[in-house]
Amino acid sequence: MAEPVDLSGIHRELDLVKRAVCHCQLRGECLGCKGIEMVRQQMEAVVAAASQPILLQVAQETAAKEMLTQFSQMQERLMDDPQMRQAAEAVRQRLMDDPEARRMIEELMQRLGQGEEPGKDQPE
């Protein structure tokens, strides 16, 4: 069985991002809060799936694809808002400037099989 993954650092960073993009005093009603909570759920689902035996991973694949579709739709709606797009870029830059956050993101990407450094070779 895989060792538990400590997500406290990522949760802490997501909480900071949520405070930065929130427009509803953290009541969970605005797109900023809802988007961050969707990211949190997606991240937890990926970590949970990565620690499951292969048969459970296969069984969860359809649900994960559906969640990814929902996440993509939410991302499109958020990126249609110029203020949200600007806030997202500021958050991305802040994360990339923090060596510990950058290391955690790179480790997560490697575990997901991407292996590329975040922020490189990505269209803007």
Side-chain angles (χ1 to χ4, degrees):
M1 180 130 192
E3 247 182 72
V5 178
D6 179 14
L7 301 176
S8 60
I10 295 172
H11 283 294
R12 190 173 40 256
E13 291 300 320
L14 287 174
D15 289 341
L16 290 172
V17 172
K18 187 176 182 179
R19 282 194 284 282
V21 299
C22 176
H23 297 286
C24 68
Q25 288 75 42
L26 300 174
R27 289 187 306 257
E29 299 169 354
C30 68
L31 278 179
C33 287
K34 290 177 182 179
I36 294 302
E37 288 311 310
M38 183 177 268
V39 169
R40 187 184 311 271
Q41 290 174 3
Q42 181 74 24
M43 181 259 316
E44 289 174 353
V46 167
V47 171
S51 63
Q52 297 291 324
I54 190 68
L55 292 177
L56 289 176
Q57 287 182 18
V58 172
Q60 295 170 346
E61 186 174 335
T62 302
K65 285 181 180 180
E66 178 62 28
M67 188 181 289
L68 183 59
T69 299
Q70 290 175 1
F71 180 71
S72 296
Q73 290 169 348
M74 175 66 91
Q75 181 182 10
E76 287 175 19
R77 285 195 306 259
L78 289 173
M79 290 299 110
D80 284 344
D81 180 344
Q83 288 179 325
M84 293 302 284
R85 191 172 43 248
Q86 193 174 36
E89 178 56 32
V91 167
R92 187 196 66 79
Q93 187 59 48
R94 182 175 175 186
L95 286 173
M96 292 302 105
D97 289 345
D98 179 356
E100 180 64 16
R102 183 181 183 96
R103 182 195 61 75
M104 291 171 70
I105 291 169
E106 289 171 353
E107 183 179 310
L108 180 61
M109 295 305 243
Q110 286 175 349
R111 287 184 180 193
L112 293 174
Q114 306 229 344
E116 296 180 19
E117 288 185 37
K120 288 193 175 181
D121 300 320
Q122 290 183 1
E124 295 197 21

